[in-house]
Amino acid sequence: MILSLQKRHRQIWTVFAIVLPVLFVMSYFYIPAQPINPATTDYSLFPMIYNEKEDAKFKIIERKLELEEEIKYQLQVIVKEPIRESSTLIYISENDKITDKIPVGQVFSKGSYTLKILDPLQKNDRVIFYNPITKKIFHRL
Amino acid sequence: MASKDDFYIGYLPHVPQPIAKLIRFSVGIMIIGVIIFALVLATNQWNLQANDFEFGKTTELTGVLQATPVPNLIIDNGQDIHGNPLYQSVLLIGLGKFGADSLVQHFENQIKTPLNQTQVTLKGTLIYSDGKTLLELTDEENAFVSSSSLDSAISLPPIQKIGKTELKGEMVDSKCYFGVMNPGHGKPHLSCAVRCVSGGIPPVFWTKKADGSTDYYLVLGKNGEAVQQEVLPYIAEPACITGEIMMYLDWKIIYTDTDNIKPMGCSGL
Amino acid sequence: MLGLMVLFLAIFIGVSLALFGDKITGETLIIRATGALAITMLHVILIIGPLARLNKKFLPLLYNRRHLGVTMFLVAAIHSVFSILQFHSMGDTNVFVSLFTSNGDYFSLTGFPFQTLGFFALIILFLMAATSHDFWLNTLSPKIWKTLHMFVYLAYAMLLFHVMLGVIQLEKSPFMVILLGIGMIMIIYFHLKAGYRQAKMGKLREKIELAGFVQVCTPEEIDENRARLVEINGQSIAIFKYEGKLSAINNFCKHQNGPLSEGKFVDGCITCPWHGYQYLPDNGSSPPPFTEKVSTYHLKLIDNEIWVNPNPEPEGTHIDAILIS
């Protein structure tokens, strides 16, 4: 490099040595953060747990509600991880034959869903996760 | 320095030993550097979503076509044990960075009937993420398969009013966010989200909650009209939005206007 | 080098697929792998120059820098084409209009449209890659060519912030920021160090002038077959000691303005450290059939002190070497 370019080189890097680190630090520390909204549901409000089971993706809580003279059963389905299916219906069945059965409900995004059931779950009953679009069972619990 | 007299000339076949040694050493350093760089950069991709876009695979969906609040297809999944209807709303999206409005209008002309209470079968590519499903009408005008009038009118649950609230989150385009791109949010995706919303794809406001769950809101104008160009400046950056929340089947909707959308976190720098 | 690039891509793609294979899309993987590779390569390219200046033993790497630069441009071009297609195509606006208008936060730091930085850096890289052949070096003249190629520093600054204001805003990983920060500090440090060392090298302790001649040093202060650099009145002069003689020629090689004073007297010729161009010490001309010529300068040896006349003779003028008694 000839002398004028050497001088230019020094000038450029002297300016860079000041400007780049300052902008670098600023551009990292001023990254706008993703804001968090308060949670809406406090599950501890529903203590009457009758039965529960869970795996990595879902948690099932069965509740028995004794209301006046009536006893009602609820199935709380907690979707722990986003479901990677286009549609999800919930069935209760002791085997995979669900075509003649009526679904207890559907679930969507990660979160908690309360479904009303008529009878308590039997010993061999499983909660079946069925995709009506692909017509496939994709999960059992 | 013992090797002071070593001098490398590129076109000579012989490389002085100490130079060759140093070059071998620096190549070694570079190999280690390359491994470290590649590992660090590859393992630090934390913001990928559990998204699916069934690219190359089309699915036929039958349901009731609705042009409002945004073009969508209502899938009837029967009834639950109490007789309540199980509906799922699948948003309709155009090909590329375009919404489905003009296509829906085209279908309407094709069947020569208003869309409401008409059952149609549409062909497209499924996009889904975290319980939300969209259908890209990949074949555009040819995505329309068939239509039939319903035996009995379906009774949609009325759009349910939840109340006025303030949400903090990020506005994105529904198509990329729920599957076509991954990640479909944040600054790297900003331009794409702007193009998509500008092209008529319904904007979605997603919010993170303290319990780790995520909520999604379709964004509409105060009177339920589509908002596209007017929200472009607020896309893909943290924002605060105030509006009336409604429930339409499995979708939440926020009715708002640009006066009630405030960019936040962008400390003015 | 190609091996290193393949290794990088193999690790990046392999690890990404192993960890996030169920999520990451093909386009995202291509964009991220090529982007990561290009910025890594740019660091290597920018470190080679000052490293070779500071330690002559790194000079062999300099011979590979141009190929590395052209390859890096190609990798960056793949990154750009995929990004443009992914983020801007199939929309309601021309992709290039979209590139500049989709994000209008030009007066914000964190909101700045980082893609435009990548676009302009790619243009610089393209111009450099396109003019990388010696044909352009000769056509444009080494000075203009080198000036053009110094825009790589601007490209680096733009790409640093293309990354910082782009992907880092989503993947806020401190590890990536630390790596980029270390890279930035190293690049700045080496360039400053090489630059200031260069400036110091040609400086005289004090300027003693007599009848147009300037006192430099004693012959003992110059190593055999090597040179002492002096900068006087804007002239950069390399005084070589060889075979018991002294000769002075202009410091800048005609090829790429390489520093001849850092070269060596090999096989009867002064040999440039950058690409091995050669000049005869007494007339500053390349041996036939080559035609490169540099200026020569008159020397005097008085009381074992070397004196140089900083007024250059026309390029290729023969001046008798002076003997060291």
Side-chain angles (χ1 to χ4, degrees), chain B residues 1 3-12 15 18-20 22-23 25-28 30-53 55 95-98 136 170 175-176 179-200 208 229 232-233 236-237 265-269, chain C residues 1 4 7-8 11-13 15-16 19-20 22-25 28-29 32 36-37 39-40 43-44 55-61 63 85-93 97-99 101-103 105 107-115 165-176 179-180 223-226 262-264 266-267 271-273 275-278:
Chain B
M1 222 193 299
S3 58
K4 201 174 177 179
D5 214 38
D6 291 317
F7 189 72
Y8 176 78
I9 303 169
Y11 47 74
L12 295 185
V15 181
I19 292 185
L22 185 77
I23 293 308
F25 175 72
S26 23
V27 168
M30 274 194 262
I31 291 175
I32 296 167
V34 156
I35 293 173
I36 293 175
F37 261 73
L39 278 178
V40 168
L41 299 182
T43 50
N44 284 279
Q45 307 179 84
W46 299 337
N47 282 287
L48 294 165
Q49 300 158 258
N51 281 354
D52 290 280
F53 175 46
F55 183 73
L95 179 69
K97 296 177 173 66
F98 292 100
E136 180 202 69
E170 179 189 356
K175 183 177 187 179
C176 293
V180 175
M181 291 199 187
N182 199 346
H185 66 280
K187 177 114 179 266
H189 185 261
L190 186 147
S191 303
C192 181
V194 165
R195 276 283 71 72
C196 285
V197 172
S198 171
K208 244 194 222 170
Q229 306 304 325
L232 297 186
E237 61 178 24
C266 308
S267 42
L269 283 158
Chain C
M1 283 301 168
L4 282 177
L7 177 72
F8 183 96
I11 295 175
F12 189 92
I13 293 172
V15 172
S16 296
L19 292 178
F20 316 107
D22 60 330
K23 295 177 179 171
I24 200 161
T25 62
T28 302
L29 192 55
R32 290 188 168 184
L37 174 59
I39 194 80
T40 309
H43 279 81
V44 175
N55 185 342
K56 298 279 166 305
K57 286 199 274 187
F58 286 109
L59 279 168
L61 295 176
Y63 280 77
L85 289 179
Q86 169 106 329
F87 298 127
H88 299 281
S89 73
M90 295 179 85
D92 59 354
T93 308
V97 175
S98 173
L99 178 69
T101 57
S102 53
N103 178 357
D105 283 349
F107 296 104
S108 152
L109 174 67
T110 53
F112 195 86
F114 72 102
Q115 290 178 334
L165 303 176
V167 73
I168 293 292
Q169 292 213 356
L170 178 73
E171 305 287 1
K172 302 174 188 75
S173 157
F175 299 107
M176 287 204 275
L179 220 50
L180 275 172
D223 292 325
E224 183 65 21
N225 296 330
R226 297 286 186 170
E262 293 169 35
K264 190 183 175 189
V266 179
D267 299 334
T271 308
C272 178
H275 302 91
Y277 275 54
Q278 292 189 311

Side-chain angles (χ1 to χ4, degrees), chain B residues 1 17 26 48 66 75 104 106 156 160 166 175 185 192 197 200 212 229 248 252 262:
Chain B
M1 222 193 299
Q17 255 316 305
S26 23
L48 294 165
Q66 291 281 328
I75 313 282
V104 167
H106 180 86
L156 282 184
Q160 228 182 306
E166 183 192 81
K175 183 177 187 179
H185 66 280
C192 181
V197 172
Q229 306 304 325
Y248 169 73
K252 284 179 183 156
K262 302 262 178 296

Side-chain angles (χ1 to χ4, degrees), chain A residues 37 84 86-87 106 109-110, chain B residues 51 87-88 130 133 168:
Chain A
N37 296 270
R84 299 190 72 168
S86 48
S87 187
Q106 40 186 3
S109 307
K110 188 172 156 179
Chain B
N51 281 354
Y87 292 129
Q88 181 182 2
D130 196 13
T133 302
K168 288 177 231 157

